Amino acid sequence: MNLAPVTLRRLIAAALAARRHAHAPYSRFRVGAALLTASGKIYTGVNVENASYGLTICAERIAVGKAVSNGHCRFRAIAIAAPSAQPTPCGACRQVLAEFGDCLVICVDSRRPRRVWLHQLSELLPHAFRL
Ligand code: THU
């Protein structure tokens, strides 16, 4: 699954920009996600933490919820930006993304120098659970 370099850059920029709106007062770990639909739209998400820690929602799942609730269920790629040497979607988010099929997962270290890793979701979560 290939993305045009310009689209890749746009998606990464959207994930990095979204990070600014993360609600992460407890972990201070701000995550931004940008989900590219099959029709070319981008839906962003941020992590939304809660004083009751377990209610925290990851950035990826917010982006999926926004896309699906706007009628988009086919995804080409998701970019995830976080201040980590090895940014990667958590297991729950992998399963939620796998619900809608395979896609490219672009992981971005939001710190400088910015580093980018490309994965296929099907490699990050082989044998995803399905009914
Ligand atoms: N987080 C995400 O937003 N996405 C992930 O895939 C992993 C973790 C958030 C949840 C929490 O607000 C913070 O990162 C630290 O775990």
Side-chain angles (χ1 to χ4, degrees):
M1 242 179 270
N2 274 336
L3 279 193
V6 60
T7 310
L8 186 67
R9 277 197 293 274
R10 240 181 85 216
L11 205 57
I12 290 172
L16 287 165
R19 260 191 89 236
R20 291 189 222 123
H21 301 296
H23 178 71
Y26 306 106
S27 73
R28 307 260 173 216
F29 189 80
R30 303 165 81 84
V31 185
L35 185 60
L36 178 68
T37 70
S39 60
K41 284 188 182 298
I42 292 177
Y43 288 94
T44 58
V46 296
N47 52 332
V48 181
E49 296 186 346
N50 189 272
S52 177
Y53 294 172
L55 295 181
T56 291
I57 309 174
C58 292
E60 298 90 323
R61 275 180 278 163
I62 297 277
V64 169
K66 282 167 71 176
V68 172
S69 57
N70 279 281
H72 299 275
C73 295
R74 287 170 48 231
F75 307 126
R76 293 177 62 196
I78 185 166
I80 302 153
S84 165
Q86 210 153 29
T88 179
C90 77
C93 290
R94 293 177 196 200
Q95 178 66 32
V96 167
L97 285 164
E99 175 73 16
F100 303 100
D102 201 7
C103 70
L104 180 65
V105 178
I106 304 149
C107 297
V108 184
D109 183 352
S110 57
R111 303 165 308 175
R112 293 191 186 271
R114 290 228 166 95
R115 293 197 297 157
V116 174
W117 294 261
L118 303 184
H119 307 281
Q120 278 305 127
L121 179 61
S122 54
E123 288 165 8
L124 294 179
L125 186 66
H127 314 294
F129 174 76
R130 287 179 209 290
L131 287 180

